[in-house]
Amino acid sequence: MIKIYNTLTKQKEEFKPIEPGKVRMYVCGPTVYNLIHIGNARPYIVFDTVRRYFESVGYEVNYVQNFTDVDDKIIKRANEENRTTNEVVEEYIAETLKDVGHLNVHRATCHPRVTEEMPQIIAMIETLIEKGLAYDAEGTVYFDTAAFEGYGKLSKKVLEELESGRNERETLRHDLSSGKKHPMDFVLWKPKKEGEPYWESPWSKGRPGWHIECSAMAKRYLGDTIDIHAGGEDLVFPHHENEVAQSEGANGVEFAHYWMHNAFLNIDNKKMSKSLGNFKTLRDVGEAYGYDVVRFFMLNAHYRSPLNFSAELMQAAANSLERIKNGGATLTFALEHSTLVELKEEERALMEELPKFETRFNEFMSDDFNTADAISVIFELVKFANTYAKEGASKPFIEAVLTLFNKLVDILGLIYKQGDDTVEGLSDEEIKDYIEKRKQAKKEKNFAEADRIRDYLKEQGVLIEDTREGVRFKRV
Ligand code: AMP
Ligand code: ZN
């Protein structure tokens, strides 16, 4: 039985899947306009480990993580650098995938992008308007928070409290200028400003608000009700609260059964964030200490405990991980050099000890993914290996210890080959998507864009060839 701490109920609950043997999981993804910082790496590592654990006990996990590829910050960056938003987005999606690949994070089953989901987003807003849960104020569509009964149930905030907590002047300004009925009403669709990317809609030429994208993508790729929705704890309010309102308002059924939130990675006991400017990029930290050390460092704490980043703690994490790696290397060496092919008498009793490590590891992981204590079991196993599975031990015994060691270490994704070759390349589907976009660009006589896509694919090790039968690609 796996127990999950559910933000919705504020307690640990037994995980019961919607469909037996399957997990439908949605994790909010990044806005792609710069390199991710190590705070952002925390949810990537934590929820990848949650997924790996579910898979290790036999679940099939459908893991969806979006890229927010339309946003004020992306537009600002593109303007500053005199580039198109598309160029900025392509660059940072590729960089993000490269970074998280270095962390041994598996690719999501599907990485939808907002700009490719407009019909679904618009349809959902239309439903909300039809149901009286949203209104159009001169081209801007707002969610009508007062019309949705459960507003505040995830973050445990009530509308009055939210309202009274706001700066009065701000509230007044909003009310006077924006056409909002209630200061907590949030944007579902907004009209474009001069020079901004836009899409046609029944209300205005414009683009969606941030929250609606996740509701629309979760619905499309996972269904109206999903098992797990996850992200960093700063997303509980307003982002996830608003997702609940939108999805439950539009679909009429519960949105997510379990809400999981990781605590912050802090620096000098303050949240590491882009806006505070106190961040370190994952790339800098990964290159300095090793990406595997970053992964180990994060998993060595419980995901719901705040974690402080410091050079000393990273060094300590590097030393600890080294002990685990040495344990694995010693076992491999011992196995290669052992000449005893039969179990020794005293090893029979020791063999019976082995499953106990796995049981305890699973008990910790099943208790709301307690990776910190699960790691302590790996240390105990290393100690056991160093004591018994060394020179003079039999092959079958060493092999059994090594197999268990590899299994546990793999569930946490702790030991893997470092370097560029750990980066998974583009999937066939992604390549086909690019080819389709290039075709479209050519059709629109945007040859610069078509060439850019071809060059980008080449950088990713994919050559494309125009043939009479169509476009072919090959990996080089
Ligand atoms: P953002 O790009 O700020 O939307 O963040 C992307 C993801 O990283 C979200 O799930 C955030 O909650 C999470 N996140 C951002 N900063 C931190 C931090 N300092 N510690 C842990 N998670 C964070
Ligand atoms: Zn989201």
Side-chain angles (χ1 to χ4, degrees):
M1 176 175 83
I2 297 179
K3 279 194 185 158
I4 298 182
Y5 180 88
N6 189 353
T7 309
L8 190 64
T9 56
K10 291 197 161 188
Q11 58 187 18
K12 283 186 198 168
E13 291 174 4
E14 181 185 346
F15 177 73
K16 293 196 185 120
I18 298 166
E19 229 181 298
K22 298 202 170 156
V23 183
R24 301 181 200 164
M25 184 163 176
Y26 187 94
V27 184
C28 292
T31 306
V32 275
Y33 67 102
N34 57 11
L35 290 180
I36 63 168
H37 61 65
I38 50 166
N40 302 136
R42 195 170 188 190
Y44 270 108
I45 295 166
V46 162
F47 299 117
D48 174 67
T49 307
V50 167
R51 171 195 194 169
R52 283 168 182 260
Y53 185 63
F54 271 116
E55 286 172 348
S56 79
V57 295
Y59 282 94
E60 190 186 306
V61 183
N62 191 350
Y63 192 100
V64 177
Q65 183 166 41
N66 65 299
F67 282 117
T68 298
D69 62 349
V70 54
D71 178 88
D72 287 340
K73 290 176 283 236
I74 298 173
I75 298 171
K76 184 162 173 266
R77 175 124 205 182
N79 288 341
E80 280 165 6
E81 296 179 352
N82 222 352
R83 297 199 285 170
T84 63
T85 50
N86 206 24
E87 282 167 347
V88 171
V89 160
E90 293 299 348
E91 176 181 349
Y92 289 107
I93 287 180
E95 296 299 347
T96 302
L97 289 173
K98 191 162 152 191
D99 269 351
V100 297
H102 282 141
L103 291 172
N104 203 17
V105 166
H106 285 318
R107 281 282 175 93
T109 317
C110 156
H111 281 288
R113 302 178 184 192
V114 182
T115 53
E116 293 168 4
E117 302 292 331
M118 288 304 161
Q120 290 66 244
I121 291 172
I122 290 171
M124 201 165 199
I125 299 175
E126 280 178 323
T127 308
L128 288 169
I129 294 177
E130 275 161 28
K131 291 193 165 188
L133 291 168
Y135 54 93
D136 175 5
E138 291 173 30
T140 303
V141 182
Y142 293 102
F143 187 92
D144 191 346
T145 43
F148 180 72
E149 212 179 298
Y151 195 74
K153 71 176 180 181
L154 179 68
S155 57
K156 313 287 180 273
K157 292 179 199 275
V158 288
L159 275 184
E160 291 74 41
E161 181 200 328
L162 287 170
E163 196 170 357
S164 65
R166 286 172 74 94
N167 176 313
E168 265 174 43
R169 263 193 16 240
E170 193 196 356
T171 306
L172 199 66
R173 200 181 60 223
H174 268 298
D175 284 352
L176 291 178
S177 65
S178 64
K180 269 193 203 184
K181 291 205 239 169
H182 187 286
M184 287 321 296
D185 291 355
F186 55 90
V187 169
L188 298 174
W189 187 268
K190 58 179 169 192
K192 73 176 173 87
K193 294 198 199 99
E194 192 54 38
E196 286 183 351
Y198 66 89
W199 287 262
E200 298 288 343
S201 84
W203 316 288
S204 56
K205 288 183 175 29
R207 60 192 159 98
W210 171 35
H211 316 297
I212 191 73
E213 63 183 63
C214 289
S215 285
M217 291 189 255
K219 180 180 171 76
R220 178 167 189 201
Y221 296 100
L222 296 170
D224 288 357
T225 302
I226 68 175
D227 291 299
I228 300 174
H229 197 312
E233 68 182 4
D234 54 333
L235 300 185
V236 176
F237 187 86
H239 186 53
H240 288 166
E241 190 69 64
N242 292 350
E243 281 190 42
V244 171
Q246 296 162 157
S247 294
E248 299 194 356
N251 303 330
V253 289
E254 192 183 5
F255 180 31
H257 287 160
Y258 307 89
W259 288 86
M260 294 183 73
H261 293 100
N262 66 272
F264 287 146
L265 179 80
N266 295 327
I267 187 160
D268 302 326
N269 296 311
K270 271 197 226 83
K271 180 198 170 190
M272 182 180 289
S273 78
K274 287 172 200 163
S275 50
L276 290 175
N278 60 352
F279 65 90
K280 294 194 183 298
T281 62
L282 169 62
R283 194 148 302 174
D284 282 349
V285 177
E287 310 240 306
Y289 296 94
Y291 289 89
D292 55 350
V293 173
V294 175
R295 184 168 181 120
F296 178 84
F297 170 74
M298 301 277 184
L299 295 180
N300 212 11
H302 193 276
Y303 76 92
R304 284 189 291 113
S305 306
L307 179 59
N308 211 41
F309 175 85
S310 72
E312 296 78 55
L313 289 172
M314 287 304 288
Q315 198 47 57
N319 297 342
S320 296
L321 179 61
E322 200 54 33
R323 271 168 55 212
I324 296 182
K325 284 190 187 170
N326 282 342
T330 310
L331 276 168
T332 309
F333 185 83
L335 181 63
E336 278 166 13
H337 291 82
S338 169
T339 48
L340 283 178
V341 290
E342 295 273 326
L343 264 188
K344 298 197 290 186
E345 192 48 42
E346 64 268 30
E347 287 173 347
R348 286 183 203 285
L350 291 170
M351 283 290 261
E352 285 179 16
E353 294 295 307
L354 271 184
K356 293 184 191 159
F357 289 99
E358 186 168 9
T359 306
R360 290 191 53 237
F361 180 93
N362 283 338
E363 273 167 10
F364 286 128
M365 288 301 283
S366 295
D367 183 11
D368 193 30
F369 310 96
N370 182 350
T371 52
D373 283 331
I375 286 176
S376 71
V377 176
I378 295 181
F379 276 116
E380 286 165 24
L381 182 63
V382 167
K383 202 166 148 205
F384 176 91
N386 289 342
T387 314
Y388 302 111
K390 54 183 183 189
E391 215 185 316
S394 75
K395 256 188 195 306
F397 178 64
I398 301 170
E399 194 164 23
V401 179
L402 182 59
T403 304
L404 177 62
F405 172 86
N406 284 337
K407 182 174 179 189
L408 303 189
V409 155
D410 268 358
I411 293 173
L412 301 180
L414 290 184
I415 300 183
Y416 53 99
K417 228 163 111 210
Q418 299 285 297
D420 273 350
D421 51 354
T422 59
V423 181
E424 292 175 63
L426 295 169
S427 68
D428 282 8
E429 219 165 283
E430 285 166 323
I431 296 171
K432 284 181 195 150
D433 266 5
Y434 279 112
I435 291 177
E436 199 44 50
K437 278 188 199 147
R438 178 167 167 267
K439 199 167 130 195
Q440 195 57 33
K442 278 179 144 183
K443 214 159 114 194
E444 289 161 8
K445 305 229 178 305
N446 186 350
F447 297 111
E449 174 68 4
D451 286 350
R452 201 191 59 72
I453 294 174
R454 193 200 50 217
D455 292 346
Y456 169 72
L457 286 172
K458 197 165 153 198
E459 270 169 38
Q460 302 298 311
V462 180
L463 287 188
I464 53 178
E465 201 187 338
D466 293 301
T467 71
R468 245 185 301 169
E469 293 78 38
V471 182
R472 269 202 241 144
F473 71 86
K474 64 174 180 202
R475 293 188 172 79
V476 287

